[in-house]
Structure formats: C-alpha cells, structure tokens
Amino acid sequence: MKSSVLEIVGLTIPCFSVNTLIIGSGAASLNAALRLFGSGQKDIAIATERWGAGTSNNAGSDKQTYYKQSLYGQESDSPIRMAEDLFSGGSMHGDIALCEAQNSSLAFFNLIGLGVPFPHDRFGGYVGYKTDHDPLGRGTSAGPLTSHLMFEAMAGEVKKKGIPVLNDHEIIVLLTQKIEDNQHVIGAVALDKTELAAGRLGLVLFNAVNVVLGTGGPGGIYRTSVYPESQLGSHGLALSIGAVGQNLTESQFGLASIKFRWNLSGTYQQVIPRYVSTDMDGRGEEEFLNEYFPDMGTLATAIFLKGYQWPFDPKKVRDYGSSLIDVLVYQETVVKGRRVFLDYTANLTGGGCLAEFSFENLGAEAYKYLEKSGVLFGTPIERLKAMNLPAVDLYKEHNIDLEKEYLEIAVCAQHNNGGLRGNVWWESNIKHLFPVGEVNGSHGIYRPGGSALNAGQVGSQRAAFFITKRYAASPPDEGIFAAAVSAQTKNILDFVNRLSRFPAKDDEFLHSTRREIQGRMSSFGAHIRDPKQIEDARNKAWDLYARIRKEMRVSSLQKLPEAFKNLDLCLTHAVYLDAIVEYIHNDGKSRGSFLVLDKGGQKPCEKLGEEWRFSLNEKGSFVEKKILEVRLNEKKEITKNWVDIRPIPREESWFENIWKDYLADNFF
Ligand SMILES: Cc1cc2nc3c(=O)[nH]c(=O)nc-3n(C[C@H](O)[C@H](O)[C@H](O)COP(=O)(O)OP(=O)(O)OC[C@H]3O[C@@H](n4cnc5c(N)ncnc54)[C@H](O)[C@@H]3O)c2cc1C
C-alpha cells in the first residue's frame, strides 16, 4: 500500500493506493484478505468502520451452524448432491450453488487450519448434524459463537501477517469510471472517524484496482432485528453506482430476544417455555397462544418444533405448525401493541382453556427427543440447565437471569438471502467490484441453516483467486487517479458542505430519519407484507430519500458518518420495498420467510381474523421460475428485470482435458 497526498478540487486529501481495497472486517472480508495475501497479492488493505463490529464477530445462536459437504464416515455426499440441495431452495442460480458446494470442503479445512475448533472424533472425523433444509447432516458447529471464533482466528492471522487495517474508516462512496461500455470501480472515499473527532474533515481516498465489498447484511434498515447493533450494512454504496441486486425480497425472520439480541432457536424452544404477553406496563399477563390452539399437546409440540424450525416459514403456519407462533407473536406485539415474553420458570398452564402441560400429550418426535435427552421432568429452566447450561449462562453474562425473569422477544430480521449479484467469481456487474459474504445475495428462497457462513468463505476465496490471477495490476499513478475522480470528489465535497455549512441545532432529524426507515421496513417489508399498504410504503421511502438529500444537516462533523449511513440505508430500504412491490405485482404470494396477505387465501388458523388470509405460490408460478433483479440506471431510475434461473452445470470431467485447460490458464 502506498500512501500519498492528493491536491484535488482545492483540498489536500490523503490517498492510499493499493491493488485491492477490502471493505469491512467480518468473516468474509478477513478471509478475502488472507486468501489474497496467501496467494501472493500483498498489495492490499482493509478499511473498516470499526474493527470488531459486524455480525460475524457479534452474533450467534444456541448452536451456530456452519454448512459444509458431509465428510464423516460412510455418509455419501458429493458436490453435485450438495449443489442440488442448495439449488432446490428455489431462485438460486445453479452455477453459484455448484461453486458453493464444490469449494465448501476447501473453505472448511482452511478454517480448521486457522484453528477454528470444529469438533471431530478420535479418527479425525468431522461429524455433522441435520440443520434446516438439509437432507444429509451437513451442519457442524463450534458452539454458540461459531462465527465469532472464525472472526477471532482470522483476525489473529491478519495481524500476524501485518496486513494493513485502517480502522474507524467508514466508506461513504465507491468511485467509478466508465471504460468502454462497462462501469468499473476504481476506488472509494472514506471518512476517517478519528480525524472527525479531532474536528477535521477526515476525507480519505482509496485508489484501488479492485474493491472487495464485505459489508454484511442490511441490519440497519429494520427496527425489529437480531442483527448486532453494530451491523447496519452498506448496500446503498453499491446500489447507488448501478450494482444489480437480486432476490432482495428474500430474508429470514424469526423469534429472538430483544434486550440482548439473540436467536431463540434449538434448546431455547425445545424445553418448551411459556409464552406470555402483557400490556406496555407489564400488566394484564396472558398466555396468549392458548386460545388459538386446539389442545395442549399441539401447542407444546409447536413450541418444541420452533427449536429446529427457527426461521418463520409460511408453509409451517397452517395445521397449527410452529410458524403460527410467529404470526401470533406479531399480532400481539405489532397489531395489539403488547409485549411478549418467554417464561422459563414454569410450565404452560393452559390458562383455563387448555389442559395443563404434560409430557404425555406431546407429539412423538418431541417426546422422544426429550426422553433421549433425559429431561422428562421439571420446569423449562430445569430442562434447559440439564440440556444446555451455556445457553443459560450466556444470558447471565448479559445480565438476564432466566431462572428469575421473563425474556422479552419479537419476530426479528436476521439474515438477507438476497443481496448484490455476483458471477461465479463473485464479481458484480460493476467490473472489479466483488461483493462477498452476506452483502452478496447468492442464496435463493430457502437455504440450509449454516450456508450463509459457507457462502461467505467460498465467495471470498473465489474473489481472491480471480483477483490474483486476472486483476493483479498495480494501481494507476495518483495523478491519473486524481483526474479520473475529481468530479466525483467535488460532488462529495459539495454534499458534505451542504450537510455541515449551516449546522443543525441538534441531531433529531438524523434520528427521526433512521426511525422512519426502520419503522417502515419492520411494518411493511419484513415477514408480514400487505399488498394494500406496500406501494404507499415504497412511495414514502423514495420521498424520504429525495428529502434527506436536500434537507439533512448535521450538528457537527462527527455526525457525518451517521448522515451518510442514513442516506445509504434510505436508498437500500427504498430499493428493497420496490422489489417487494414488483414481486407482489407479479402475483407473488407467501414463500420463504414472509407471508403476503391475500383475501382469496385461507386463514392461518380458525380463530385468527379474516385479515390474516394468505396463500402460497403455486408450483411453477412466474415468480418461482425467475429471479428478480433490480438496479438503478444511469438516470438513477430503478429498473426491474426477471431473469431465468441458471441450472446446475453438468460439464465434462475428463481429467486430461481439465488439466490442459488448467495449465493453459484457460479455466476462467
Ligand atoms: C443472530 C444471528 C445468527 C446467525 N446464525 C447463523 C448460523 O447459524 N449459520 C450461518 O451460516 N449464518 C448465521 N447467521 C448469518 C451470518 O452470521 C452472517 O451472514 C455472516 O456472519 C456475515 O458475515 P460478513 O462477513 O458478510 O459480514 P459481517 O460479519 O456483518 O461484517 C460486515 C463488516 O463490514 C463493516 N462495514 C459495513 N459497512 C461499512 C462501511 N461503509 N465502511 C467500512 N466498513 C463497513 C462492518 O463494520 C463489519 O466489519 C446469523 C446471523 C445472525 C444475526
């Protein structure tokens, strides 16, 4: 990395020139950096808004899963079988599924090599278990904090190798240049927060041949979210320069605690806690699920099943399925404005309308599981302590004592299956821009639990390989770079001046903008989607985007990152809502992890109101056969394109031919 100072539009701005700028410091970015370094491309730098922030380092669950090809004993698996299972989730391109499958063992063993403690037996067999949407037991886990352990191992290695990390650098704009007919990324602009804190402008330029974008999921667009508070996302960076987004309608939502953000899957549900709701002041306690279920056995079994049917799924709503609980929690919290809690201190009571809880009434699967685990006794907390003590301790570490207090919950946004489009080397339609990790929307409608972490590792490895082989040139001379970006830099400076020249009295406008974005997404663009309200929500999102570009002001330079983040999140939520409108206009119904209300459909259960009617997509319907792509064109208008789903490639695998191509470097 070469550092210099550029005289540009009358200002002196620090500039770093590198072959590859890696944005973000989550598991995907760190892997990209290590893979580049390891394959000989050492002219790299990581710029991150805060070292240690993001989902990988801060999120987890009961047993956080990593999905990989089966590698144990007699289990028969192959890359094609795994690709077929990824592909069968719907709306996922087959060649991408094949890449994620084909490279999964490589990525997994790389993590083992870095010291991530995935468990194995005495013969070295990495045993797996079945996760959701997984027929073959491909899941593995290093415990509740798998992705944190991945972060820790890779972060240590990044430090050991001396890879430059520019901490507290928030990237606010990607710089581009049109070369022939293609838009290329050629660098980025950051705000150095340490400079801002010292009262200086803190603009920093990056002159880069390649940009690896590992900025994670769009956690910041939701009010009700189990993304860590530090993970807001930056999809707007790429969308605003015309990067294609795909499957933006597809995300995962599920039950999580909100005081301390944590997924309530696995044993947290399998011990069958009591669900209660109260008014806003904690009064008027009710076991609100009772009135909707026909008997105690059905209710207790549905709660148990939430353990491994964690994401909300409209296919699991009817017939008193586990996802009916998410609908009822939503009704309680959002529609009725009450609070919902899990109580581990006592068993379900039936509240007078159902029988009292008893193990004998459970469905066979639930009964057997609890019997095998030796916990057919006591209260939920006693069962939880017996089955998974660390799960109890984890809450204690965050000052929540499940032995004494109720745990407040909601249906939260957790993961984005869609995101930016990449090719088989994870390069976007913007040349030299490689979205990796969650910001890359490689998944389709359903994905096996744990495949997000696999995709992040495989994608960053593929991007690093391609960059090393094809895009290894040194960055251009600073003078050439300055000329190419002076107009874009001037636009940024003009905007920064507008934000800060007449400082705001306070930051209420910034805060209310963020609240408006998050409120709108959680109300209209999350797991319950109402065709009657979605267009209005979309229009208001675009109105807000136009308004904040004109009216947003900051009270001090230190607030600039927050203002730019608002701009990014506002654009992101408008584009996401537009994708949902387009989906519904094309007769898209409930699927994946969201429910589209539909007068012509059926009620989720007998006792819910008429307004809850919904239906699932018919097999072979238009939206199931295509993938929705959206992008901003050069006039900044949103365009939508339904593309065919590419099948899994079935190519010749004759060793001598592949070897010949490989030796001739012909396989790209
Ligand atoms: C509660 C929870 C449980 C989960 N459980 C599982 C599971 O069991 N299995 C599974 O496979 N997946 C799981 N996931 C999803 C998975 O953890 C994430 O998809 C993955 O960790 C994302 O990694 P990443 O590297 O793409 O992004 P992140 O780890 O989120 O990192 C993003 C980075 O980008 C930085 N950044 C963002 N914007 C900017 C900017 N403008 N400038 C500079 N830096 C920026 C952030 O600070 C951060 O460092 C879970 C997610 C959650 C929330």
Side-chain angles (χ1 to χ4, degrees):
M1 180 173 73
K2 186 173 156 208
S3 103
S4 56
V5 172
L6 293 190
E7 296 295 328
I8 195 165
V9 289
L11 279 180
T12 307
I13 306 179
C15 175
F16 296 103
S17 297
V18 279
N19 168 267
T20 301
L21 169 68
I22 298 142
I23 305 175
S25 52
S29 288
L30 296 184
N31 190 48
L34 291 172
R35 293 302 183 126
L36 282 162
F37 193 92
S39 58
Q41 180 49 264
K42 300 198 169 141
D43 186 19
I44 59 177
I46 297 172
T48 185
E49 59 190 1
R50 186 163 65 78
W51 184 255
T55 305
S56 310
N57 189 36
N58 298 288
S61 61
D62 169 67
K63 192 162 77 186
Q64 198 185 13
T65 302
Y66 189 97
Y67 195 67
K68 47 125 194 66
Q69 196 184 316
S70 278
L71 296 161
Y72 188 77
Q74 293 186 24
E75 283 161 3
S76 66
D77 198 0
S78 71
I80 283 283
R81 283 191 77 181
M82 181 170 165
E84 280 165 352
D85 291 331
L86 293 171
F87 184 73
S88 70
S91 292
M92 179 178 196
H93 287 301
D95 48 1
I96 301 291
L98 184 59
C99 289
E100 290 188 3
Q102 194 74 65
N103 291 277
S104 93
S105 303
L106 196 62
F108 179 65
F109 284 115
N110 179 56
L111 293 171
I112 304 273
L114 290 171
V116 181
F118 287 110
H120 59 81
D121 66 12
R122 73 190 166 114
F123 305 107
Y126 286 91
V127 66
Y129 56 87
K130 269 193 193 174
T131 157
D132 38 329
H133 308 298
D134 162 33
L136 271 190
R138 299 189 182 104
T140 181
S141 174
L145 300 172
T146 302
S147 60
H148 160 75
L149 293 168
M150 288 164 58
F151 168 84
E152 213 171 46
M154 289 191 275
E157 204 58 26
V158 162
K159 290 211 167 128
K160 223 190 280 170
K161 295 202 153 50
I163 296 171
V165 175
L166 293 136
N167 193 15
D168 288 325
H169 278 60
E170 176 144 343
I171 303 295
I172 53 167
V173 170
L174 296 176
L175 298 165
T176 57
Q177 188 174 27
K178 200 159 183 187
I179 300 174
E180 291 164 359
D181 272 347
N182 290 316
Q183 202 69 353
H184 287 228
V185 76
I186 55 168
V189 182
L191 287 170
D192 177 349
K193 295 185 200 173
T194 53
E195 285 290 297
L196 293 171
R200 293 185 287 269
L201 185 53
L203 274 191
V204 175
L205 288 167
F206 288 94
N207 166 23
V209 179
N210 308 295
V211 172
V212 172
L213 188 74
T215 47
I221 59 176
Y222 299 100
R223 178 187 54 212
T224 315
S225 161
V226 65
Y227 282 93
E229 279 89 348
S230 65
Q231 178 52 30
L232 301 173
S234 291
H235 287 53
L237 283 178
L239 293 171
S240 62
I241 58 165
V244 172
Q246 65 180 5
N247 280 329
L248 298 184
T249 47
E250 309 307 313
S251 290
Q252 282 191 347
F253 303 89
L255 291 173
S257 55
I258 52 178
K259 194 165 126 198
F260 158 55
R261 295 182 176 192
W262 200 251
N263 270 13
L264 291 164
S265 55
T267 38
Y268 288 115
Q269 303 288 349
Q270 285 159 342
V271 298
I272 315 177
R274 216 162 64 92
Y275 279 67
V276 298
S277 73
T278 70
D279 66 18
M280 277 302 174
D281 302 324
R283 288 187 299 253
E285 181 177 316
E286 272 176 41
E287 280 183 59
F288 64 97
L289 298 179
N290 289 341
E291 70 174 289
Y292 299 97
F293 280 82
D295 57 72
M296 176 55 77
T298 310
L299 167 58
T301 304
I303 296 175
F304 170 89
L305 288 174
K306 268 245 127 283
Y308 38 77
Q309 298 177 351
W310 182 80
F312 171 71
D313 180 352
K315 286 187 188 157
K316 300 191 177 98
V317 168
R318 291 208 185 106
D319 300 323
Y320 307 102
S322 57
S323 283
L324 176 58
I325 297 173
D326 303 69
V327 174
L328 295 171
V329 171
Y330 178 88
Q331 172 170 262
E332 215 62 15
T333 49
V334 179
V335 181
K336 296 188 184 169
R338 290 169 65 80
R339 298 168 71 186
V340 173
F341 302 86
L342 296 189
D343 171 20
Y344 287 90
T345 65
N347 284 318
L348 311 178
T349 69
C353 54
L354 301 180
E356 291 237 331
F357 173 78
S358 104
F359 294 110
E360 281 64 43
N361 292 336
L362 287 175
E365 188 181 354
Y367 185 88
K368 262 204 198 122
Y369 186 95
L370 296 178
E371 186 184 36
K372 271 192 165 171
S373 308
V375 293
L376 287 176
F377 64 83
T379 57
I381 188 68
E382 286 162 349
R383 296 192 281 277
L384 190 57
K385 279 166 75 179
M387 275 168 78
N388 190 354
L389 190 58
V392 180
D393 292 342
L394 182 94
Y395 275 99
K396 270 210 184 108
E397 282 157 28
H398 292 86
N399 301 319
I400 298 172
D401 187 350
L402 299 182
E403 301 199 53
K404 296 199 186 113
E405 57 189 299
Y406 288 7
L407 184 64
E408 186 159 9
I409 63 162
V411 187
C412 294
Q414 186 245 12
H415 180 266
N416 194 189
N417 282 6
L420 303 176
R421 188 189 76 187
N423 62 15
V424 292
W425 298 103
W426 268 243
E427 187 178 16
S428 71
N429 60 307
I430 309 292
K431 295 276 169 212
H432 296 256
L433 175 67
F434 292 82
V436 299
E438 192 173 330
V439 71
N440 182 305
S442 66
H443 312 283
I445 304 165
Y446 291 95
R447 65 170 179 85
S451 57
L453 291 174
N454 175 64
Q457 295 304 290
V458 168
S460 46
Q461 167 193 309
R462 302 274 298 163
F465 188 76
F466 189 84
I467 288 170
T468 313
K469 289 283 187 186
R470 284 289 183 270
Y471 290 166
S474 299
D477 215 62
E478 286 82 357
I480 296 174
F481 172 69
V485 301
S486 69
Q488 291 169 77
T489 312
K490 182 172 180 320
N491 284 344
I492 298 163
L493 280 168
D494 288 348
F495 187 66
V496 166
N497 278 338
R498 194 147 20 101
L499 286 173
S500 54
R501 195 181 310 138
F502 302 107
K505 277 201 304 294
D506 57 33
D507 297 309
E508 183 43 32
F509 187 76
L510 285 186
H511 300 161
S512 64
T513 300
R514 187 74 58 91
R515 283 197 299 273
E516 185 178 334
I517 294 166
Q518 295 179 339
R520 182 152 39 239
M521 270 317 274
S522 283
S523 302
F524 306 108
H527 71 300
I528 306 292
R529 301 179 183 176
D530 183 351
K532 290 206 299 288
Q533 307 204 53
I534 193 73
E535 274 184 56
D536 186 46
R538 184 266 318 261
N539 295 343
K540 286 184 172 144
W542 283 114
D543 287 349
L544 181 66
Y545 185 57
R547 196 152 69 83
I548 63 174
R549 281 196 297 171
K550 278 203 214 113
E551 294 176 14
M552 193 161 55
R553 300 284 179 271
V554 292
S555 60
S556 69
L557 288 178
Q558 273 161 282
K559 294 289 169 185
L560 282 178
E562 206 175 315
F564 274 96
K565 197 59 106 180
N566 272 357
L567 208 60
D568 189 295
L569 297 176
C570 194
L571 174 62
T572 305
H573 97 303
V575 172
Y576 274 56
L577 287 168
D578 229 322
I580 296 174
V581 169
E582 173 70 12
Y583 173 83
I584 291 175
H585 278 177
N586 282 278
D587 213 21
K589 311 262 196 256
S590 308
R591 74 177 186 188
S593 197
F594 61 84
L595 185 149
V596 179
L597 299 174
D598 174 12
K599 280 203 301 281
Q602 291 176 14
K603 289 206 289 181
C605 73
E606 195 45 46
K607 292 197 177 138
L608 268 167
E610 289 298 314
E611 70 280 14
W612 279 105
R613 285 185 181 276
F614 77 101
S615 34
L616 301 170
N617 281 326
E618 306 257 322
K619 230 184 160 118
S621 64
F622 175 77
V623 295
E624 299 283 296
K625 285 196 293 201
K626 303 270 181 181
I627 289 177
L628 172 58
E629 294 186 346
V630 298
R631 73 179 286 250
L632 297 183
N633 64 19
E634 285 181 15
K635 292 188 206 145
K636 302 288 175 207
E637 295 156 345
I638 189 156
T639 61
K640 295 140 195 165
N641 195 14
W642 290 90
V643 300
D644 289 336
I645 302 170
R646 298 189 296 271
I648 298 173
R650 313 271 167 170
E651 289 185 0
E652 183 204 22
S653 57
W654 192 252
F655 181 82
E656 277 70 16
N657 293 345
I658 288 178
W659 192 15
K660 198 163 68 192
D661 277 350
Y662 183 79
L663 291 176
D665 217 11
N666 246 350
F667 60 93
F668 286 92

